[in-house]
Amino acid sequence: MTPPTPDGPASDIRRQGDAVIIAVQGDIDLRRSVEFQQEVLTVLDERPARVVVDLTAVPYMDSSGVASLVKVLSRARRQGAKMVLCGLNDRVRGLFEITRLDNVFTIAATCEEALG
Amino acid sequence: MTPPTPDGPASDIRRQGDAVIIAVQGDIDLRRSVEFQQEVLTVLDERPARVVVDLTAVPYMDSSGVASLVKVLSRARRQGAKMVLCGLNDRVRGLFEITRLDNVFTIAATCEEALG
Amino acid sequence: MTCPVRQPVRMAIFSTPDHLPVVRAAVEKMCELLGFSSALAGRVMLSSDEALSNIIKHAYRGATDRPIDVEIAPVHDGGRDGIRITLRDWGAYVGREQMRSRDLDDVRPGGLGVHIMCEYMDQLDYQPAEGGGTLLTMVKNLPEKKEVTP
Amino acid sequence: MTCPVRQPVRMAIFSTPDHLPVVRAAVEKMCELLGFSSALAGRVMLSSDEALSNIIKHAYRGATDRPIDVEIAPVHDGGRDGIRITLRDWGAYVGREQMRSRDLDDVRPGGLGVHIMCEYMDQLDYQPAEGGGTLLTMVKNLPEKKEVTP
Ligand SMILES: Nc1ncnc2c1ncn2[C@@H]1O[C@H](COP(=O)(O)OP(=O)(O)O)[C@@H](O)[C@H]1O
Ligand SMILES: Nc1ncnc2c1ncn2[C@@H]1O[C@H](COP(=O)(O)OP(=O)(O)O)[C@@H](O)[C@H]1O
């Protein structure tokens, strides 16, 4: 197994009640989105009732990151899991608005709310 | 008078007791150091007993910024004013260390201390 | 007093996603120097990143060793200041007509980049480049200047 | 898993202080991508900035419209990863011997740039460039890798 590269992903996964919280770190762009998608899909393999994607430590996201989240969302829906996004900074929130996906995703005002 | 440019200086000057505190904002590099020097020299023209240069909002400084401060320090000394630096981030502090000027300048651990 | 930036910065990168963060950093800094707000800088950065991603994905079909030339230029057009990003690739030219942004009501992954660029930039122009490839020019102007009270 | 960056990024700038923040942003981002700590990235950024400032001040005597070519390249030298910054100007060549860093005990403004670059970088090499001007190559290696426990 290859050791993680210095700038490799550092998603932090923890469980709380029936939810799995996945806290992503770093920019989600063309460089990172496929792997990010795989990380969340792996979490969904556990068949949790809820998945919270915490984007607090994501300064930047592009349309490939959004595309990954769309794929993940449809998988979550298929298996009856609730998926919530939280911790979006203004720029990332703007990206969901401009792509009119802010009403397709459940976006919590705060990560506390997402877990509530 | 030309209006300030968007990225122009935003040094904030206030007085407290016998001290003038000059809070600088933005990188102090070759682009900015001459003007920065002029700002502090103008403050010294008021002949304050103490000048506190608050670098809390200075993410980056190069050797031209240090050179400006050396010039300002020698002027302060000539007119018997005390000059204190505060708010240096790790990188800026490192610059004073590598140029062995950390013992030439009075560098306060915190800006509160600089004013005390 | 520092003066506004007048000259363009050019970058020559490869068609690898690895270089995208470096270009984004340069674009963001130029926007900041030109007086763009953080929100607006984010839009310019995203638009140029989407355009670069499309060159990598579509014009070069995922090859990571092909050249892309980037120019980041201050512009002063009709009294308004702004930024112009020019991207030149040596891939197959595909006209703007072929790049329809899809119906956003149809929620599916992909097909959002062109829509984002159109919404966020003031000008977006694809031209066949001399010697092959595509020249993409994107412009974003600063909002009208308010009166400055010195 | 994202892979380490392998290809160089090139920038073509003018000899204006206005372009320094843009190069710094690109250098800092490349350092970050290569796994440099923030402290070490700051040193590489400062060193390349000092070198560029010297080109503007000395090689071009303050002229702001002359070209400078910058290459920011990942290097893998003897198993150690690092970054190489190459700066090319078309000014008068002055050998490294002429650039003595001064006695630091003599506190006066200026004369600190070369000292900083020498202290902070692992390699610093000035060569006359083909066709005139100077080619400055600076290298900084990452600290030895620690064993990685997966
Ligand atoms: N630089 C380009 N070269 C060739 N085709 C392109 C280019 N940019 C976009 N396209 C075409 O336009 C379509 C829409 O692009 P975009 O909205 O960015 O979505 P996506 O890249 O996710 O498909 C692409 O699928 C592609 O067919
Ligand atoms: N790129 C260069 N071209 C010509 N001369 C240079 C160059 N870089 C440095 N020098 C010479 O070396 C001296 C020391 O440089 P430095 O330590 O950076 O201090 P400073 O630039 O403040 O004088 C300069 O004064 C200059 O004479």
Side-chain angles (χ1 to χ4, degrees):
Chain A
M1 193 190 176
T2 41
T5 55
D7 56 325
S11 293
D12 183 68
I13 296 167
R14 61 197 175 84
R15 283 143 194 94
Q16 184 175 318
D18 62 353
V20 180
I21 303 113
I22 172 157
V24 198
Q25 230 176 45
D27 294 351
I28 306 181
D29 60 359
L30 192 61
R31 191 165 184 259
R32 176 73 198 287
S33 55
V34 170
E35 165 203 28
F36 161 66
Q37 179 182 318
Q38 203 43 60
E39 282 168 10
V40 191
L41 287 178
T42 304
V43 165
L44 278 173
D45 284 343
E46 300 176 22
R47 305 216 145 243
R50 286 190 302 152
V51 180
V52 177
V53 182
D54 178 354
L55 301 171
T56 305
V58 175
Y60 177 81
M61 192 186 288
D62 75 353
S63 73
S64 73
V66 170
S68 293
L69 281 170
V70 169
K71 275 182 215 145
V72 168
L73 179 67
S74 71
R75 180 50 199 282
R77 281 181 176 165
R78 269 203 313 278
Q79 64 184 57
K82 251 193 86 174
M83 182 169 140
V84 185
L85 310 181
C86 70
L88 288 69
N89 70 23
D90 287 348
R91 288 177 175 181
V92 175
R93 182 174 297 270
L95 174 61
F96 281 85
E97 286 162 9
I98 196 75
T99 54
R100 300 200 212 131
L101 290 166
D102 50 332
N103 293 320
V104 173
F105 286 92
T106 309
I107 302 178
T110 65
C111 286
E112 291 71 50
E113 191 192 293
L115 283 168
Chain B
M1 195 189 177
T2 40
T5 54
D7 57 326
S11 294
D12 183 68
I13 295 167
R14 61 197 175 83
R15 283 143 195 97
Q16 183 174 320
D18 63 352
V20 180
I21 304 114
I22 171 158
V24 197
Q25 230 176 46
D27 294 350
I28 306 180
D29 60 359
L30 192 60
R31 191 164 183 261
R32 175 74 198 286
S33 56
V34 169
E35 166 202 27
F36 162 65
Q37 180 182 318
Q38 203 44 58
E39 282 168 10
V40 192
L41 287 178
T42 304
V43 165
L44 278 173
D45 284 342
E46 299 176 21
R47 305 217 144 240
R50 285 189 302 153
V51 180
V52 177
V53 182
D54 178 354
L55 301 172
T56 305
V58 175
Y60 176 81
M61 192 186 290
D62 75 353
S63 74
S64 73
V66 170
S68 292
L69 281 170
V70 169
K71 276 184 214 145
V72 167
L73 178 67
S74 70
R75 180 49 198 283
R77 281 181 176 166
R78 268 206 311 280
Q79 64 184 56
K82 253 192 85 174
M83 181 169 139
V84 185
L85 310 181
C86 71
L88 288 69
N89 70 23
D90 287 348
R91 288 177 175 182
V92 175
R93 184 175 295 272
L95 174 62
F96 281 86
E97 286 162 9
I98 196 74
T99 54
R100 299 200 213 130
L101 290 165
D102 50 332
N103 292 320
V104 173
F105 285 92
T106 308
I107 302 177
T110 64
C111 287
E112 291 72 48
E113 191 192 292
L115 283 169
Chain C
M1 196 153 295
T2 50
C3 293
V5 187
R6 297 189 188 286
Q7 289 148 309
V9 165
R10 289 189 188 86
M11 301 180 81
I13 63 165
F14 288 95
S15 56
T16 166
D18 289 346
H19 284 173
L20 297 179
V22 183
V23 179
R24 288 203 299 271
V27 168
E28 181 171 34
K29 184 55 79 175
M30 184 65 98
C31 285
E32 189 191 302
L33 293 171
L34 292 171
F36 281 86
S37 67
S38 164
L40 227 46
R43 292 171 176 209
V44 176
M45 189 166 76
L46 177 61
S47 299
S48 44
D49 201 44
E50 294 291 343
L52 285 171
S53 296
N54 278 349
I55 292 174
I56 297 173
K57 289 188 299 177
H58 306 302
Y60 287 144
R61 293 156 202 261
T64 58
D65 58 353
R66 305 292 310 277
I68 306 175
D69 281 358
V70 180
E71 187 188 69
I72 309 168
V75 283
H76 316 272
D77 189 16
R80 274 172 89 186
D81 291 336
I83 191 167
R84 186 185 64 219
I85 315 275
T86 317
L87 305 179
R88 161 66 197 275
D89 67 62
W90 284 260
Y93 172 73
V94 167
R96 177 73 184 75
E97 323 70 59
Q98 318 260 17
M99 297 181 199
R100 296 245 158 273
S101 49
R102 65 173 174 76
D103 181 0
L104 291 185
D105 291 332
D106 171 21
V107 177
R108 55 172 181 77
L112 300 169
V114 171
H115 168 75
I116 291 170
M117 291 184 260
C118 288
E119 290 284 319
Y120 276 169
M121 301 300 280
D122 293 327
Q123 282 176 44
L124 185 68
D125 176 59
Y126 290 83
Q127 293 291 335
E130 256 184 85
T134 304
L135 189 71
L136 165 56
T137 307
M138 335 172 77
V139 175
K140 183 74 189 176
N141 296 310
L142 278 165
E144 290 306 337
K145 267 201 193 114
K146 298 196 193 72
E147 281 292 296
V148 180
T149 359
Chain D
M1 195 153 296
T2 50
C3 293
V5 188
R6 298 188 187 286
Q7 289 149 308
V9 166
R10 289 189 190 85
M11 301 180 82
I13 63 164
F14 288 95
S15 56
T16 165
D18 289 346
H19 285 174
L20 297 179
V22 183
V23 178
R24 288 203 299 271
V27 168
E28 182 172 33
K29 184 54 78 176
M30 183 66 98
C31 285
E32 189 191 301
L33 293 172
L34 291 171
F36 281 86
S37 67
S38 164
L40 227 46
R43 292 171 175 209
V44 175
M45 190 167 75
L46 178 61
S47 299
S48 45
D49 200 43
E50 294 290 344
L52 284 170
S53 296
N54 278 349
I55 292 173
I56 297 173
K57 289 189 299 176
H58 305 301
Y60 286 145
R61 293 155 202 259
T64 58
D65 57 353
R66 304 294 308 279
I68 305 175
D69 281 359
V70 180
E71 188 188 68
I72 309 168
V75 282
H76 316 272
D77 189 14
R80 275 172 88 187
D81 291 335
I83 190 168
R84 185 185 65 219
I85 315 274
T86 317
L87 304 179
R88 160 70 196 274
D89 67 61
W90 285 260
Y93 173 71
V94 166
R96 177 73 184 75
E97 324 70 57
Q98 317 261 17
M99 299 183 199
R100 297 244 157 274
S101 49
R102 65 173 174 75
D103 181 1
L104 291 186
D105 291 331
D106 172 22
V107 178
R108 55 174 180 77
L112 300 169
V114 172
H115 167 75
I116 290 170
M117 292 183 259
C118 289
E119 290 283 319
Y120 276 168
M121 300 300 280
D122 293 326
Q123 281 177 43
L124 185 69
D125 177 58
Y126 290 85
Q127 293 291 335
E130 258 184 83
T134 304
L135 190 71
L136 165 56
T137 308
M138 337 173 76
V139 175
K140 183 72 189 177
N141 296 310
L142 278 164
E144 287 312 333
K145 265 200 193 118
K146 297 194 193 71
E147 282 292 296
V148 180
T149 357

